Amino acid sequence: MKKILLTGVSGQVGHALQQQLALELANEWQVVACDRHQLDLTQPDHIRRIVREIAPDLIINPAAYTAVDKAESERELAYAINAVAPGVLAEEAARLNAGLIHFSTDYVYDGTKHSAYVESDTVNPVSIYGASKLAGEEAIRQVGLPHLVLRTSWVYGSYGKNFLKTIIRLAKERENLRIVADQYGAPTSDAAIAKAVTELVTRWHQEDMTQSGVYHLVNSGEISWFGFASEIVAQYHALESVRGWPALAVKAVQPIATAEYPTPAKRPANSRLSTAKLEQTFGVTLPEWSIALNQVMAELAIGD
């Protein structure tokens, strides 16, 4: 049986991937799942030792330093996890003749383009987080092994801490929510990512590993953070009476400009990513963002 080393299983995407891979590929793959304690990505020697002990056929690396604002003051730590560690994983994968699937971000772009970004567009990160993730992409590329770098955006889900969970919590506590309305992108559920990556394990790793490179992996469609928050509240209300959930305190979701909500790290105003390359190369498509949100809200209802 072939073996997958899966990192970051205490995070959103890693957790979703662990469940999805076990559901769909258990007959073909043994998944060795590691959290930050079992695989310390800040220690290159530790990474090398663990990878050599496990000897995987494929490494899937969703683990990352994702504290966007803290990265501005924790540059060394962000680069250790997001830039150095992916390069070490790539070197060890190459040594084993294994493949690597790694996750990156819309933050490698500056957000000034007026349409959806394609993979060949110029990268220009405007934050330490984005720069560290781009450095990780480049470290993998320099190794030259079979790899997929999957850029995603606005990740959320029923597990862990994320925008969805924050909006629901705040909507229970406050009558008014003020949400940025001039940043646009595609909210992407961890479940949709996990489903797509499970397909890629078969379509790329098992069929044609020559199609290495960067691919955008996001739910289709686009919305602002304000629009996303408004839809979260609307979908919560739709399930409120059915599930017996506590009533929300919120009476209004108000749009504001980015300038009214200053943060240590700058965010791209345009985070829209075209998935045409992924669809044309592998035939992998992700659902529209509002459909994915509906599915995640259903997961919350089941979990409740």
Side-chain angles (χ1 to χ4, degrees), residues 142-163:
Q142 287 174 7
V143 173
L145 82 165
H147 69 276
L148 297 179
V149 170
L150 305 175
R151 291 178 183 154
T152 190
S153 69
W154 296 20
V155 179
Y156 71 98
S158 60
Y159 175 83
K161 297 180 180 179
N162 53 63
F163 184 81

Side-chain angles (χ1 to χ4, degrees), residues 13-292:
V13 175
H15 180 265
L17 271 167
Q18 186 176 13
Q19 293 183 319
Q20 192 69 35
L21 291 167
L23 180 66
E24 295 197 29
L25 299 181
N27 293 331
E28 305 170 58
W29 291 87
Q30 175 191 355
V31 178
V32 181
C34 294
D35 61 21
R36 69 187 64 174
H37 303 294
Q38 296 160 316
L39 182 62
D40 186 350
L41 294 182
T42 67
Q43 303 296 324
D45 289 343
H46 178 76
I47 297 170
R48 294 187 191 281
R49 179 173 62 81
I50 296 299
V51 173
R52 292 178 190 187
E53 286 178 0
I54 295 170
D57 300 279
L58 173 64
I59 299 173
I60 303 179
N61 182 43
Y65 179 104
T66 57
V68 176
D69 288 321
K70 284 183 70 176
E72 295 298 306
S73 59
E74 294 184 346
R75 184 183 187 279
E76 185 175 341
L77 181 59
Y79 268 81
I81 296 172
N82 292 346
V84 177
V88 174
L89 287 170
E91 290 170 359
E92 291 303 310
R95 182 176 175 273
L96 294 166
N97 293 317
L100 173 64
I101 297 177
H102 175 73
F103 290 85
S104 192
T105 174
D106 55 300
Y107 280 56
V108 300
Y109 299 112
D110 59 20
T112 59
K113 187 179 179 182
H114 296 297
S115 57
Y117 282 95
V118 297
E119 290 83 351
S120 58
D121 281 330
T122 301
V123 288
N124 183 35
V126 292
S127 66
I128 295 297
Y129 168 70
S132 69
K133 291 297 289 182
L134 179 59
E137 291 187 16
E138 293 172 345
I140 292 169
R141 190 158 44 243
Q142 287 174 7
V143 173
L145 82 165
H147 69 276
L148 297 179
V149 170
L150 305 175
R151 291 178 183 154
T152 190
S153 69
W154 296 20
V155 179
Y156 71 98
S158 60
Y159 175 83
K161 297 180 180 179
N162 53 63
F163 184 81
L164 167 72
K165 297 284 198 69
T166 298
I167 291 299
I168 292 174
R169 175 177 58 81
L170 293 177
K172 291 176 181 178
E173 299 171 355
R174 303 178 185 178
E175 290 191 353
N176 294 292
L177 298 181
R178 303 173 71 247
I179 309 296
V180 169
D182 54 0
Q183 295 174 22
Y184 287 84
T188 303
S189 76
D190 54 12
I193 292 171
K195 178 70 174 175
V197 173
T198 300
E199 291 183 46
L200 286 171
V201 170
T202 298
R203 299 186 187 189
W204 175 69
H205 189 272
Q206 295 180 205
E207 295 179 4
D208 187 7
M209 290 177 70
T210 64
Q211 299 292 340
S212 290
V214 176
Y215 293 85
H216 292 164
L217 179 71
V218 294
N219 281 119
S220 63
E222 62 183 71
I223 195 72
S224 68
W225 286 115
F226 161 74
F228 187 32
S230 300
E231 184 63 17
I232 290 169
V233 170
Q235 291 202 19
Y236 184 100
H237 280 313
L239 288 166
E240 205 171 58
S241 58
V242 177
R243 300 302 307 178
W245 284 349
L248 297 180
V250 69
K251 295 180 179 178
V253 182
Q254 301 173 326
I256 62 171
T258 296
E260 297 177 71
Y261 188 74
T263 56
K266 186 177 180 181
R267 269 71 170 170
N270 174 25
S271 285
R272 291 172 291 175
L273 304 178
S274 168
T275 58
K277 181 182 175 184
L278 181 77
E279 294 164 8
Q280 292 165 6
T281 305
F282 299 111
V284 172
T285 59
L286 281 71
E288 201 266 343
W289 71 266
S290 63
I291 294 173

